[in-house]
Amino acid sequence: MGIFFSIFDTSVDLYEVEARELDKFIHDRLQPDEAFLRQVRNAIHIVCEFLKARCFSDASCPIDPRPRVLKVVKGGSSGKGTALKGGSDADLVVFLDIFRGYRDQERERSKIIREIERRLRECQQLLNSDVCIERTKYKNPRVLTFKLQSYSSDDSIEFDVLPAFNALGHYRNGSRPDPQVYLDLIRSSRGQGSQFSPCFTELQRDFVRDRPPKLKNLIRLVKHWYKQLPGRKSLPPKYALELLAVYAWEHGSHGNYFDMAEGFRTVLWLLQQYKQLCIFWTRFYDFENRELRQFLQSQLRKSRPIILDPADPTGIVGQGSSWDLLAESAALCTEQRCCRKASGAPVQPWPVPLQVPWEEDSCCAIL
């Protein structure tokens, strides 16, 4: 692996960077270099091929019937193209034929994870001898987390392996799922939002991956700022900030070139206005189906902030988190050099709406 850099080793703190220098800061400090990206892609490719071709083929596999891997999808920051130098992650979602529905995934997930853990260690022989696979200390019955750790340095990358039901079937980028996919999801979720979100990893990935490089750099900057904050376990997930960055760009710039400080300042402003946020997209689902429309209406009537996952309408991103603490940190950041012009005047946010307009009767959204 060999070329990871810790974000905490940066010689210049973000708060000391002038607003006009943010693009350079991102290029020099936050963007992974190409050698790093090639090594990550190669390692993940080997793991994916192992999962598809060999993981469940062993005669000692205790699972009956023996699973067949339909596909392995790479998500996370590596899949979206928003990886941070020294802080990259990847989600490897393994879609299996034995999962015929969401409930099968819920019921059989733990034994699938145990078998993947047992077999995945064999990947050590397939990877470069300078890399080993270690199980991390985190335990979650829905996910198996591993670390690719270099023998010769402290460099590493974490990835999560998640078994999932192939809800989207033969999905192609640019297509929209049949509304029945979401109706089945709503009925299976039983009020527990986002519990089946790995099934929609391809949508979450493509929602960001197809965006302009500069927007991805804004996402990197926002994530870097977020990673410096204390007490992150109680804060909304970084996915919420990622979506706010996309929203800010869509309504404030929507171009390949924009002022990075203004984009960053807009995300911080949105965080400070969290009590009024009601944001959603209609790229993958909309209000035309009556039952789906009723569900979306009920979601949008809930207490603010509302940021609906663009791939999974059952998920209100960051629901129940400490938005007030994040807003306080955002307010502090706006007073720093990174949010001030050379003259000392504050950088102004883009004039973006706090809510996506929708009507109770027709629910015609603009996104």
Side-chain angles (χ1 to χ4, degrees), residues 201-219:
T201 296
E202 291 161 288
L203 305 185
Q204 293 173 335
R205 177 199 64 192
D206 292 345
F207 184 75
V208 175
R209 187 175 64 175
D210 300 336
R211 307 288 181 165
K214 185 148 187 178
L215 172 57
K216 294 179 183 179
N217 279 342
L218 173 59
I219 292 173

Side-chain angles (χ1 to χ4, degrees), residues 135-158:
R135 176 79 186 273
T136 65
K137 60 184 178 180
Y138 305 107
K139 293 183 178 180
N140 187 326
R142 298 182 179 183
V143 61
L144 182 64
T145 303
F146 279 88
K147 178 186 291 184
L148 292 177
Q149 177 69 54
S150 171
Y151 283 125
S152 58
S153 72
D154 293 331
D155 300 335
S156 65
I157 178 174
E158 285 195 351

Side-chain angles (χ1 to χ4, degrees), residues 71 73 93-96 99-106 109 162-169 171 177 181-182 185 188-189 194-205 309 311-312:
K71 58 185 174 181
V73 174
V93 184
V94 185
F95 294 93
L96 301 169
F99 295 159
R100 303 299 178 87
Y102 300 106
R103 289 300 158 203
D104 288 345
Q105 173 184 318
E106 187 177 43
R109 179 172 46 207
L162 306 96
F165 161 54
N166 187 25
L168 297 177
Y171 165 77
V181 170
Y182 288 116
L185 170 67
S188 299
S189 295
S194 299
Q195 65 167 320
F196 298 114
S197 62
C199 302
F200 302 93
T201 296
E202 291 161 288
L203 305 185
Q204 293 173 335
R205 177 199 64 192
D309 187 330
D312 175 5

Side-chain angles (χ1 to χ4, degrees), residues 234 316-323:
S234 67
I316 298 178
V317 184
Q319 187 175 36
S321 302
S322 298
W323 284 90

